[in-house]
Each structure stands twice: as C-alpha cells, then as structure tokens.
Coordinates of all heavy atoms in Angstrom, one line a residue:
T1 N 102.2 90.7 89.4 CA 101.8 89.4 89.0 C 100.3 89.4 88.8 O 99.6 89.9 89.6 CB 102.1 88.3 90.1 OG1 103.6 88.3 90.2 CG2 101.7 86.9 89.7
I2 N 99.8 88.8 87.7 CA 98.4 88.7 87.4 C 98.1 87.2 87.3 O 98.8 86.5 86.6 CB 98.1 89.4 86.0 CG1 98.5 90.9 86.1 CG2 96.7 89.1 85.6 CD1 98.5 91.5 84.8
Q3 N 97.0 86.8 87.9 CA 96.6 85.4 87.8 C 95.1 85.4 87.4 O 94.3 86.0 88.1 CB 96.8 84.6 89.1 CG 98.3 84.5 89.5 CD 98.5 83.7 90.7 OE1 97.8 83.9 91.7 NE2 99.5 82.7 90.7
K4 N 94.8 84.7 86.3 CA 93.5 84.6 85.8 C 93.3 83.3 85.0 O 94.1 83.1 84.1 CB 93.1 85.8 85.0 CG 91.7 85.8 84.5 CD 91.3 87.2 83.9 CE 89.9 87.3 83.4 NZ 88.9 86.3 83.7
D5 N 92.2 82.6 85.2 CA 91.9 81.4 84.4 C 93.1 80.5 84.3 O 93.4 79.9 83.2 CB 91.4 81.8 83.0 CG 90.2 82.6 83.1 OD1 89.4 82.5 84.0 OD2 89.9 83.5 82.1
G6 N 93.8 80.3 85.4 CA 95.0 79.3 85.4 C 96.2 79.8 84.7 O 97.2 79.1 84.6
R7 N 96.2 81.1 84.3 CA 97.4 81.6 83.7 C 98.1 82.6 84.7 O 97.4 83.2 85.5 CB 97.1 82.5 82.5 CG 96.6 81.7 81.4 CD 97.0 82.4 80.1 NE 97.7 81.3 79.3 CZ 97.8 81.4 78.1 NH1 97.4 82.4 77.4 NH2 98.4 80.4 77.4
T8 N 99.4 82.6 84.7 CA 100.2 83.5 85.5 C 101.1 84.4 84.6 O 101.8 83.9 83.8 CB 101.1 82.7 86.5 OG1 100.2 81.9 87.3 CG2 101.8 83.7 87.4
I9 N 100.9 85.7 84.8 CA 101.6 86.7 84.1 C 102.4 87.6 85.1 O 101.9 88.0 86.0 CB 100.7 87.6 83.3 CG1 99.8 86.8 82.3 CG2 101.5 88.7 82.5 CD1 98.7 87.5 81.6
K10 N 103.7 87.7 84.8 CA 104.6 88.5 85.7 C 105.3 89.6 84.9 O 105.8 89.3 83.8 CB 105.6 87.6 86.4 CG 105.0 86.6 87.3 CD 106.1 85.7 88.0 CE 105.4 84.7 88.9 NZ 106.4 83.9 89.6
L11 N 105.1 90.8 85.4 CA 105.8 91.9 84.8 C 106.7 92.6 85.8 O 106.4 92.6 87.0 CB 104.8 93.0 84.3 CG 103.9 92.5 83.2 CD1 102.5 92.3 83.7 CD2 103.8 93.5 82.1
V12 N 107.8 93.2 85.3 CA 108.7 93.9 86.2 C 108.8 95.3 85.6 O 109.0 95.5 84.4 CB 110.1 93.3 86.3 CG1 111.1 94.1 87.1 CG2 110.0 91.9 86.8
L13 N 108.6 96.4 86.4 CA 108.7 97.7 85.9 C 110.0 98.0 85.1 O 111.1 97.5 85.5 CB 108.7 98.7 87.1 CG 107.3 98.8 87.8 CD1 107.5 99.8 89.0 CD2 106.2 99.3 86.9
N14 N 109.8 98.6 84.0 CA 110.9 99.1 83.1 C 111.6 97.9 82.4 O 112.6 98.2 81.8 CB 111.9 99.9 83.9 CG 111.2 101.2 84.5 OD1 110.5 101.9 83.8 ND2 111.5 101.4 85.7
E15 N 111.0 96.7 82.4 CA 111.6 95.6 81.7 C 110.7 95.3 80.5 O 109.5 95.2 80.6 CB 111.8 94.4 82.6 CG 113.0 94.6 83.6 CD 113.4 93.4 84.2 OE1 113.1 92.3 83.8 OE2 114.1 93.5 85.2
K16 N 111.3 95.0 79.3 CA 110.6 94.7 78.1 C 110.4 93.2 77.9 O 110.2 92.8 76.8 CB 111.2 95.4 76.9 CG 111.1 96.9 76.9 CD 111.8 97.5 75.7 CE 110.9 97.4 74.5 NZ 111.3 98.1 73.3
I17 N 110.4 92.5 79.0 CA 110.1 91.1 79.0 C 109.0 90.8 80.0 O 109.1 91.3 81.2 CB 111.3 90.2 79.3 CG1 112.4 90.5 78.3 CG2 111.0 88.8 79.4 CD1 112.2 89.8 76.9
M18 N 108.0 90.0 79.7 CA 107.1 89.5 80.7 C 107.1 88.0 80.7 O 107.5 87.4 79.7 CB 105.7 90.1 80.5 CG 104.9 89.5 79.4 SD 103.2 90.2 79.4 CE 102.6 89.4 77.9
S19 N 106.7 87.4 81.8 CA 106.6 86.0 81.9 C 105.2 85.5 81.9 O 104.3 86.1 82.6 CB 107.3 85.5 83.2 OG 107.0 84.1 83.5
V20 N 104.9 84.6 80.9 CA 103.5 84.0 80.8 C 103.6 82.6 81.1 O 104.2 81.9 80.2 CB 102.9 84.3 79.4 CG1 101.5 83.8 79.3 CG2 102.9 85.9 79.1
D21 N 103.1 82.1 82.2 CA 103.2 80.7 82.6 C 104.7 80.2 82.5 O 104.9 79.1 82.0 CB 102.3 79.8 81.7 CG 100.8 80.1 82.0 OD1 100.5 80.6 83.1 OD2 100.0 79.9 81.1
G22 N 105.6 81.0 82.9 CA 107.0 80.6 82.9 C 107.8 80.9 81.6 O 109.0 80.8 81.6
E23 N 107.1 81.2 80.5 CA 107.7 81.5 79.2 C 107.9 83.0 79.1 O 107.1 83.8 79.4 CB 106.9 81.1 78.1 CG 106.9 79.6 77.9 CD 106.2 79.2 76.5 OE1 106.4 79.9 75.5 OE2 105.5 78.2 76.6
Q24 N 109.1 83.4 78.6 CA 109.4 84.8 78.4 C 108.8 85.3 77.1 O 108.9 84.7 76.1 CB 110.9 85.1 78.5 CG 111.5 84.9 79.9 CD 112.9 85.5 80.0 OE1 113.5 85.7 79.0 NE2 113.3 85.6 81.2
V25 N 108.1 86.5 77.2 CA 107.5 87.1 76.1 C 108.1 88.5 76.0 O 108.1 89.3 77.0 CB 106.0 87.2 76.2 CG1 105.3 87.9 75.0 CG2 105.5 85.7 76.3
E26 N 108.5 88.9 74.8 CA 109.1 90.3 74.6 C 107.9 91.3 74.5 O 106.9 91.0 73.8 CB 110.0 90.3 73.4 CG 110.7 91.7 73.2 CD 111.7 91.6 72.1 OE1 112.0 90.6 71.6 OE2 112.2 92.8 71.8
L27 N 108.1 92.4 75.1 CA 107.1 93.5 75.1 C 107.5 94.6 74.1 O 108.7 94.9 74.0 CB 106.8 94.1 76.5 CG 106.4 93.1 77.5 CD1 106.5 93.8 78.9 CD2 104.9 92.7 77.2
A28 N 106.5 95.2 73.5 CA 106.8 96.4 72.7 C 107.2 97.6 73.6 O 108.0 98.4 73.3 CB 105.6 96.8 71.8
V29 N 106.5 97.6 74.7 CA 106.7 98.7 75.7 C 106.7 98.0 77.1 O 105.9 97.1 77.3 CB 105.7 99.8 75.6 CG1 105.8 100.6 74.4 CG2 104.3 99.3 75.8
P30 N 107.5 98.5 78.0 CA 107.5 97.9 79.4 C 106.4 98.5 80.2 O 105.8 99.6 79.9 CB 108.9 98.3 79.9 CG 109.1 99.6 79.3 CD 108.6 99.5 77.9
A31 N 106.1 97.9 81.4 CA 105.3 98.5 82.4 C 106.1 99.6 83.0 O 107.4 99.4 83.2 CB 105.0 97.4 83.5
I32 N 105.5 100.7 83.3 CA 106.3 101.8 83.9 C 105.5 102.4 85.0 O 104.3 102.3 85.2 CB 106.6 102.9 82.9 CG1 105.3 103.5 82.3 CG2 107.5 102.4 81.7 CD1 105.5 104.8 81.5
E33 N 106.2 103.1 85.9 CA 105.6 104.0 87.0 C 105.9 105.4 86.6 O 107.0 105.8 86.2 CB 106.3 103.6 88.3 CG 105.6 104.3 89.5 CD 106.2 105.7 89.8 OE1 107.4 105.9 89.5 OE2 105.4 106.5 90.2
Q34 N 104.9 106.2 86.7 CA 105.0 107.6 86.3 C 104.0 108.4 87.2 O 102.8 108.1 87.2 CB 104.7 107.8 84.8 CG 105.0 109.2 84.4 CD 104.8 109.4 82.9 OE1 104.4 108.4 82.2 NE2 105.1 110.5 82.3
G35 N 104.5 109.4 87.9 CA 103.7 110.2 88.7 C 102.9 109.5 89.8 O 101.8 109.8 90.1
G36 N 103.5 108.4 90.3 CA 102.8 107.7 91.3 C 101.8 106.6 90.8 O 101.0 106.1 91.6
R37 N 101.7 106.5 89.5 CA 100.8 105.5 88.9 C 101.6 104.5 88.1 O 102.6 104.8 87.6 CB 99.8 106.2 88.0 CG 98.9 107.2 88.7 CD 98.0 107.9 87.8 NE 97.2 108.8 88.5 CZ 96.0 109.2 88.2 NH1 95.4 108.7 87.2 NH2 95.4 110.1 89.0
T38 N 101.0 103.3 88.0 CA 101.6 102.2 87.2 C 100.8 102.1 85.9 O 99.6 101.9 85.9 CB 101.6 100.9 88.0 OG1 102.3 101.1 89.2 CG2 102.3 99.8 87.2
F39 N 101.6 102.1 84.8 CA 101.0 101.9 83.5 C 101.4 100.5 82.9 O 102.6 100.2 82.9 CB 101.4 103.0 82.5 CG 100.9 104.3 82.9 CD1 101.6 105.1 83.8 CD2 99.7 104.8 82.4 CE1 101.1 106.4 84.2 CE2 99.3 106.1 82.8 CZ 100.0 106.8 83.7
L40 N 100.5 99.7 82.5 CA 100.8 98.4 82.0 C 100.5 98.3 80.5 O 99.6 99.0 80.0 CB 99.9 97.4 82.7 CG 100.0 97.3 84.3 CD1 99.0 96.4 84.9 CD2 101.4 96.8 84.6
P41 N 101.2 97.4 79.8 CA 101.0 97.2 78.4 C 99.7 96.4 78.2 O 99.7 95.2 78.2 CB 102.2 96.5 77.9 CG 102.7 95.8 79.1 CD 102.4 96.7 80.3
L42 N 98.6 97.1 78.0 CA 97.3 96.5 77.9 C 97.2 95.4 76.8 O 96.7 94.3 77.0 CB 96.2 97.5 77.6 CG 94.8 97.0 77.3 CD1 94.2 96.3 78.5 CD2 93.9 98.1 76.8
R43 N 97.7 95.7 75.6 CA 97.6 94.7 74.5 C 98.3 93.4 74.8 O 97.8 92.3 74.7 CB 98.1 95.3 73.2 CG 98.2 94.2 72.1 CD 98.8 94.7 70.8 NE 98.0 95.6 70.0 CZ 97.0 95.2 69.3 NH1 96.6 93.9 69.2 NH2 96.3 96.0 68.6
A44 N 99.5 93.5 75.3 CA 100.3 92.3 75.7 C 99.6 91.5 76.8 O 99.5 90.3 76.6 CB 101.7 92.7 76.1
I45 N 99.1 92.1 77.8 CA 98.4 91.4 78.8 C 97.1 90.8 78.3 O 96.9 89.6 78.6 CB 98.2 92.3 80.0 CG1 99.5 92.7 80.7 CG2 97.2 91.6 81.1 CD1 99.3 93.8 81.7
A46 N 96.3 91.5 77.6 CA 95.0 91.0 77.1 C 95.3 89.8 76.2 O 94.7 88.7 76.3 CB 94.3 92.1 76.3
E47 N 96.3 89.9 75.3 CA 96.6 88.8 74.3 C 97.1 87.6 75.1 O 96.8 86.4 74.8 CB 97.5 89.3 73.3 CG 96.8 90.2 72.3 CD 97.7 90.8 71.2 OE1 99.0 90.6 71.3 OE2 97.2 91.4 70.3
A48 N 97.9 87.8 76.2 CA 98.4 86.7 77.0 C 97.3 86.0 77.7 O 97.4 84.8 78.0 CB 99.4 87.2 78.0
L49 N 96.1 86.6 77.9 CA 95.0 86.0 78.5 C 94.0 85.5 77.5 O 92.9 85.1 77.8 CB 94.3 87.1 79.4 CG 95.0 87.5 80.6 CD1 94.4 88.6 81.3 CD2 95.2 86.3 81.6
G50 N 94.4 85.5 76.1 CA 93.6 84.9 75.1 C 92.6 85.8 74.5 O 91.7 85.4 73.8
Q51 N 92.7 87.1 74.8 CA 91.7 88.1 74.3 C 92.3 88.8 73.0 O 93.5 88.8 72.8 CB 91.4 89.2 75.4 CG 90.9 88.6 76.6 CD 89.5 87.9 76.4 OE1 88.6 88.5 76.0 NE2 89.5 86.6 76.7
K52 N 91.3 89.3 72.3 CA 91.7 90.1 71.1 C 91.6 91.6 71.4 O 90.7 92.0 72.2 CB 90.7 89.8 69.9 CG 90.6 88.4 69.5 CD 91.9 87.9 68.8 CE 91.7 86.5 68.4 NZ 92.9 85.9 67.9
V53 N 92.5 92.4 70.8 CA 92.4 93.8 71.1 C 92.2 94.5 69.7 O 93.0 94.2 68.8 CB 93.8 94.3 71.7 CG1 93.7 95.8 71.9 CG2 94.0 93.6 73.0
S54 N 91.3 95.4 69.6 CA 91.1 96.1 68.4 C 90.6 97.5 68.7 O 90.2 97.8 69.9 CB 90.0 95.4 67.5 OG 88.8 95.1 68.2
W55 N 90.6 98.4 67.8 CA 90.2 99.8 68.0 C 89.5 100.4 66.7 O 89.7 99.8 65.7 CB 91.3 100.6 68.5 CG 92.4 100.7 67.5 CD1 92.6 101.7 66.5 CD2 93.5 99.8 67.3 NE1 93.7 101.4 65.8 CE2 94.3 100.3 66.3 CE3 93.9 98.7 68.0 CZ2 95.5 99.6 65.8 CZ3 95.1 98.0 67.6 CH2 95.8 98.5 66.5
D56 N 88.8 101.5 66.9 CA 88.2 102.1 65.8 C 88.9 103.4 65.5 O 89.8 103.9 66.2 CB 86.7 102.2 65.9 CG 86.3 103.2 67.0 OD1 87.1 103.9 67.6 OD2 85.1 103.2 67.3
N57 N 88.4 104.1 64.5 CA 89.1 105.4 64.1 C 88.8 106.5 65.1 O 89.4 107.6 64.9 CB 88.7 105.8 62.7 CG 87.2 106.0 62.5 OD1 86.5 106.0 63.4 ND2 86.8 106.2 61.3
R58 N 88.0 106.3 66.1 CA 87.8 107.3 67.1 C 88.7 107.1 68.3 O 88.8 107.9 69.2 CB 86.3 107.2 67.7 CG 85.3 107.5 66.6 CD 83.9 107.2 67.1 NE 83.8 105.7 67.2 CZ 82.8 105.1 67.7 NH1 81.8 105.7 68.1 NH2 82.8 103.8 67.8
G59 N 89.5 106.0 68.2 CA 90.4 105.7 69.3 C 89.8 104.9 70.4 O 90.4 104.8 71.5
I60 N 88.6 104.4 70.2 CA 88.0 103.5 71.2 C 88.6 102.1 71.1 O 88.7 101.6 70.0 CB 86.5 103.5 71.1 CG1 85.9 104.9 71.2 CG2 85.9 102.5 72.0 CD1 84.4 105.0 71.0
I61 N 89.1 101.6 72.3 CA 89.7 100.3 72.3 C 88.7 99.3 72.8 O 88.0 99.5 73.7 CB 90.9 100.4 73.2 CG1 91.9 101.4 72.8 CG2 91.6 99.0 73.4 CD1 93.0 101.7 73.8
F62 N 88.7 98.1 72.1 CA 87.9 97.0 72.4 C 88.7 95.8 72.8 O 89.7 95.5 72.1 CB 87.0 96.6 71.3 CG 86.1 97.7 70.8 CD1 86.6 98.6 69.8 CD2 84.9 98.0 71.3 CE1 85.8 99.6 69.3 CE2 84.1 99.0 70.8 CZ 84.5 99.8 69.8
V63 N 88.4 95.2 73.9 CA 89.1 94.0 74.4 C 88.1 92.9 74.6 O 87.1 93.1 75.3 CB 89.9 94.2 75.7 CG1 90.6 93.0 76.1 CG2 90.9 95.4 75.5
G64 N 88.2 91.7 74.0 CA 87.3 90.7 74.1 C 87.7 89.4 73.4 O 88.8 89.4 72.9
P65 N 86.8 88.4 73.4 CA 87.2 87.1 72.9 C 87.3 87.1 71.3 O 87.9 86.2 70.8 CB 86.1 86.2 73.3 CG 84.9 87.1 73.6 CD 85.5 88.4 74.0
Q66 N 86.8 88.1 70.7 CA 86.9 88.2 69.2 C 87.2 89.6 68.8 O 86.9 90.5 69.4 CB 85.6 87.7 68.6 CG 84.4 88.5 68.9 CD 83.1 87.8 68.5 OE1 83.1 86.7 67.9 NE2 82.0 88.5 68.6
E67 N 87.8 89.7 67.6 CA 88.2 91.0 67.0 C 86.9 91.7 66.7 O 85.9 91.2 66.2 CB 89.0 90.8 65.8 CG 89.7 92.1 65.3 CD 90.7 91.9 64.3 OE1 91.4 90.8 64.3 OE2 90.9 92.7 63.4
V68 N 86.9 93.0 66.9 CA 85.8 93.9 66.6 C 86.1 94.8 65.4 O 87.2 95.4 65.4 CB 85.4 94.7 67.8 CG1 84.2 95.7 67.5 CG2 85.0 93.8 69.0
T69 N 85.2 94.9 64.5 CA 85.4 95.8 63.3 C 84.4 96.9 63.4 O 83.4 96.8 64.1 CB 85.2 95.1 62.0 OG1 83.8 94.6 61.9 CG2 86.2 93.9 61.8
E70 N 84.7 98.0 62.8 CA 83.8 99.2 62.8 C 82.4 98.8 62.2 O 81.4 99.2 62.7 CB 84.4 100.4 62.1 CG 83.6 101.6 62.4 CD 84.4 102.9 62.1 OE1 85.6 102.8 61.8 OE2 83.8 103.9 62.0
E71 N 82.5 97.9 61.2 CA 81.2 97.5 60.6 C 80.4 96.7 61.7 O 79.2 96.9 61.7 CB 81.5 96.6 59.4 CG 80.2 96.0 58.8 CD 80.6 95.1 57.6 OE1 81.7 95.0 57.2 OE2 79.6 94.5 57.0
K72 N 81.0 95.9 62.4 CA 80.3 95.1 63.4 C 79.7 96.0 64.5 O 78.6 95.8 64.9 CB 81.3 94.1 64.1 CG 80.6 93.1 65.0 CD 81.7 92.1 65.4 CE 81.0 90.9 66.0 NZ 81.8 89.8 66.3
I73 N 80.5 97.1 64.9 CA 80.0 98.0 65.9 C 78.7 98.7 65.3 O 77.7 98.8 66.0 CB 81.0 99.1 66.2 CG1 82.2 98.4 66.9 CG2 80.5 100.2 67.1 CD1 83.4 99.2 67.0
M74 N 78.8 99.2 64.1 CA 77.6 99.9 63.5 C 76.5 99.0 63.4 O 75.3 99.4 63.6 CB 78.0 100.5 62.1 CG 79.1 101.6 62.2 SD 78.7 102.9 63.4 CE 77.3 103.6 62.7
N75 N 76.6 97.7 63.0 CA 75.5 96.7 62.9 C 74.9 96.6 64.3 O 73.6 96.5 64.4 CB 76.0 95.4 62.4 CG 76.3 95.5 60.9 OD1 75.9 96.3 60.2 ND2 77.1 94.5 60.4
E76 N 75.7 96.5 65.3 CA 75.1 96.4 66.7 C 74.3 97.6 67.1 O 73.2 97.5 67.6 CB 76.3 96.1 67.7 CG 76.9 94.8 67.7 CD 76.0 93.7 68.1 OE1 75.2 93.9 69.0 OE2 76.1 92.6 67.5
I77 N 74.8 98.7 66.8 CA 74.1 100.0 67.1 C 72.8 100.0 66.3 O 71.8 100.3 66.9 CB 75.0 101.3 66.7 CG1 76.2 101.3 67.7 CG2 74.2 102.5 66.8 CD1 77.2 102.3 67.4
W78 N 72.8 99.7 65.0 CA 71.6 99.8 64.3 C 70.6 98.8 64.7 O 69.4 98.9 64.6 CB 71.9 99.7 62.8 CG 72.5 100.9 62.2 CD1 73.8 101.1 61.8 CD2 71.8 102.2 62.1 NE1 74.0 102.4 61.4 CE2 72.8 103.1 61.5 CE3 70.6 102.7 62.4 CZ2 72.5 104.4 61.3 CZ3 70.3 104.0 62.1 CH2 71.2 104.9 61.6
S79 N 71.0 97.6 65.2 CA 70.1 96.6 65.7 C 69.4 97.0 66.9 O 68.3 96.5 67.2 CB 70.8 95.2 65.9 OG 71.6 95.3 67.0
I80 N 70.0 97.9 67.7 CA 69.3 98.4 68.9 C 68.4 99.5 68.6 O 67.3 99.6 69.3 CB 70.5 99.0 69.9 CG1 71.4 97.8 70.3 CG2 69.8 99.6 71.1 CD1 72.6 98.3 71.0
L81 N 68.6 100.3 67.6 CA 67.7 101.4 67.3 C 66.4 101.0 66.7 O 65.9 100.3 66.2 CB 68.4 102.4 66.4 CG 69.6 103.0 67.0 CD1 70.4 103.9 65.9 CD2 69.3 103.9 68.2

C-alpha cells in the first residue's frame, strides 16, 4: 500500500490490477518478487500519483509533474554552461 497526497494505491504481488482510491486499474505488468526483491510498475504508480513519465534515447527515465523532451533537457544543460 502506498499513501501520498491523499491518494491510496494498493498492489498485490503477481496481480495485473491495482487499486487507486478504491478504483481498479489494469496494469501492463504486475508487481513481482524476484530474488528477495520487490519490483513495482513505476509508470503505473507515478501516473496514479499524477506524475508524467518520459525517457530519452539513452534510457534515462524522468518522473515529474510535466513531460520531459530531449530538447528540453539539452536546453537546460546549455543554460547551465
């Protein structure tokens, strides 16, 4: 169970359904346990919390309140230099 900003998200290992504030949401992949570790579906959880998930061609994942484009990243880098 995850609780943040008044939202409650419940996941059950190996089930492709999660509960967000009591509503069932279908998952592309379930939460799983492997080798003593628990792996959670990051995109589904982040989006349930109102966040955007994006990535670039290097495989770097960005999670935040707005979508991030590679152009935006490069503009930020150049503004610092």
Side-chain angles (χ1 to χ4, degrees):
T1 300
I2 300 166
Q3 293 183 316
K4 182 170 178 17
D5 299 331
R7 291 216 129 154
T8 301
I9 301 169
K10 295 181 180 183
L11 296 107
V12 177
L13 289 176
N14 302 312
E15 289 193 14
K16 291 181 77 174
I17 299 287
M18 73 176 176
S19 170
V20 180
D21 295 331
E23 286 189 39
Q24 290 194 344
V25 177
E26 188 171 349
L27 299 170
V29 295
I32 61 169
E33 185 275 328
Q34 186 174 5
R37 296 179 183 210
T38 301
F39 295 88
L40 301 173
L42 174 64
R43 174 184 283 283
I45 293 169
E47 289 176 348
L49 293 171
Q51 300 297 300
K52 303 286 184 192
V53 179
S54 50
W55 61 92
D56 68 8
N57 61 6
R58 297 169 293 177
I60 297 174
I61 300 169
F62 302 91
V63 179
Q66 58 191 6
E67 192 170 328
V68 177
T69 63
E70 192 160 349
E71 179 181 355
K72 190 172 193 172
I73 295 165
M74 295 310 294
N75 289 339
E76 289 292 325
I77 291 170
W78 285 111
S79 72
I80 295 169
L81 298 176

